[in-house]
Amino acid sequence: MRAFVFDTPRSLRTAVDRATENTRYLAGGTTLVDLMKLEVMAPEQVLDINRLPLKGIRYDRDGLFLGALERMSDVAAHPLLRGSYRVISQALELSASPQLRNMASMGGNLLQRTRCGYFRDTTMPCNKREPGSGCPALDGENRGHAILGTSTSCAATHPSDVAVALVALDAQLHVYGPGGQRTTALQDFYRLPGDTPHLENRLRPRELITAITVPPLAKATRSGYLKIRDRQSYEFALTSAAVALRIQGNTIHEARIAVGGVGTRPWRLPAVESALIGKPASEATYEAAAAQSTEEARPLAHNEFKVELLRRTLVRALITVGGAR
């Protein structure tokens, strides 16, 4: 780890004023400190933001509010989440280990970097770490890599589970920076890699996440998160599915679907949602809709299994949440 300046600002304005383009904000530190030890990241300055007023979990007529510094474990266990936003609670509980969930913040989780081994190995080239240096994952070990949204420059998957659930629920991200406060849809926040995979999101220099909000869900909405991984504890997703369905009688009136472990960003599936709406809640409906989830898939040499695994993951998640009569 290289030497850096450390400070603990007490207000948002002070934090932004002290930040430079080579500053990193520290919340839980569960990703940043690891990457600094590996020298994947070497900021000149680290600002500890844990004393900033960025906490709170509440619900009102506008929906759910989550402060960016709320710990993942606290959000997962909150009665509001367990009741009305079960898909978020489940996604958090299936993330990382209990120790990491006790430290990691909600804002930090949304900004965590990819788990691609080539990105974390500084002896290897990586377009995400050093633009223009190459992507050995395309012809190398790529079993865990993406099948959706890849480019000739990068095929790394986005690692966050809760981002998948939040994208499915049309969450909004609130950020603060030199230009003041602004809000953006989380779905639009993440970039596709294209030929600039080092630009992973639309956070501007010196900005930091302050809160996440989620619109209210209709009372009849059921939701859930299913994660498929190589082991049942402390493992990133091979595939995952966040599902929210509003079913009246036996007819699906509203569907929100996003998947993880397969995309270069949390992947919303509007075609699958459209294929479910107005149809009976049955296994045949789910199978037909899920077939559209892989139409844009472009597997690599070692991850073709994810195409079928994604379809099956989605069908199982739909059956679990919506039932099948």
Side-chain angles (χ1 to χ4, degrees):
M1 183 182 288
R2 301 180 187 178
F4 56 91
V5 174
F6 183 80
D7 202 354
T8 54
R10 303 297 181 95
S11 73
L12 271 173
R13 186 74 260 169
T14 302
V16 169
D17 286 346
R18 289 183 184 174
T20 67
E21 292 198 8
N22 199 19
T23 292
R24 293 294 179 269
Y25 297 114
L26 176 74
T30 54
T31 293
L32 176 62
V33 175
D34 278 354
L35 294 178
M36 289 176 67
K37 288 178 181 176
L38 294 169
E39 297 195 350
V40 172
M41 296 178 73
E44 294 175 352
Q45 176 178 236
V46 174
L47 296 180
D48 181 346
I49 60 172
N50 284 291
R51 295 184 181 182
L52 303 186
L54 301 179
K55 284 203 166 187
I57 303 173
R58 61 178 184 268
Y59 182 85
D60 58 25
R61 64 181 181 180
D62 295 324
L64 179 68
F65 172 94
L66 301 172
L69 285 179
E70 287 292 342
R71 303 301 165 183
M72 292 171 66
S73 55
D74 293 334
V75 175
H78 198 283
L80 276 175
L81 279 294
R82 290 191 183 280
S84 300
Y85 294 94
R86 190 166 177 78
V87 63
I88 300 176
S89 178
Q90 290 182 340
L92 287 167
E93 288 179 337
L94 292 171
S95 301
S97 66
Q99 293 88 347
L100 287 170
R101 295 196 295 272
N102 286 339
M103 282 298 297
S105 70
M106 290 296 294
N109 186 271
L110 298 181
L111 294 176
Q112 67 176 301
R113 309 297 299 276
T114 177
R115 302 301 299 189
C116 175
Y118 298 107
F119 170 74
R120 289 173 177 256
D121 183 351
T122 57
T123 66
M124 300 294 292
C126 171
N127 287 325
K128 190 179 282 294
R129 198 181 63 245
E130 297 179 20
S133 61
C135 178
L138 297 175
D139 297 314
E141 201 294 310
N142 49 45
R143 178 177 180 270
H145 285 68
I147 59 173
L148 294 167
T150 60
S151 74
T152 55
S153 296
C154 185
T157 51
H158 183 85
S160 171
D161 289 297
V162 74
V164 177
L166 290 170
V167 163
L169 299 185
D170 295 319
Q172 298 284 308
L173 204 60
H174 305 267
V175 303
Y176 183 82
Q181 191 85 31
R182 67 182 179 92
T183 300
T184 182
L186 183 60
Q187 185 172 358
D188 300 331
F189 179 69
Y190 295 113
R191 297 172 180 263
L192 289 173
D195 58 2
T196 56
H198 60 292
L199 302 176
E200 296 177 336
N201 57 57
R202 301 186 188 282
L203 202 64
R204 299 166 186 163
R206 300 165 60 195
E207 284 186 330
L208 56 88
I209 297 174
T210 60
I212 304 149
T213 54
V214 186
L217 291 175
K219 287 185 178 178
T221 302
R222 313 169 193 171
S223 71
Y225 187 77
L226 176 64
K227 180 176 181 178
I228 306 299
R229 45 191 169 171
D230 284 328
R231 57 185 181 189
Q232 283 303 305
S233 176
Y234 192 23
E235 184 62 279
F236 290 85
L238 291 171
T239 59
S240 70
V243 171
L245 299 174
R246 181 166 62 86
I247 301 173
Q248 292 177 310
N250 192 39
T251 302
I252 301 169
H253 286 264
E254 186 176 8
R256 299 159 183 257
I257 312 287
V259 292
V262 290
T264 51
R265 64 184 183 187
W267 206 263
R268 190 78 181 257
L269 294 171
V272 174
E273 294 172 348
S274 297
L276 290 167
I277 295 172
K279 304 289 175 52
S282 68
E283 189 166 347
T285 296
Y286 304 149
E287 290 275 5
Q292 301 187 45
S293 66
T294 59
E295 288 182 347
E296 298 179 19
R298 299 289 182 271
L300 300 168
H302 305 142
N303 67 1
E304 190 172 10
F305 73 97
K306 283 192 173 185
V307 177
E308 178 63 13
L309 186 60
L310 172 60
R311 190 192 66 76
R312 294 189 186 198
T313 301
L314 189 49
V315 170
R316 183 174 151 194
L318 287 164
I319 291 173
T320 302
V321 172
R325 301 175 178 83

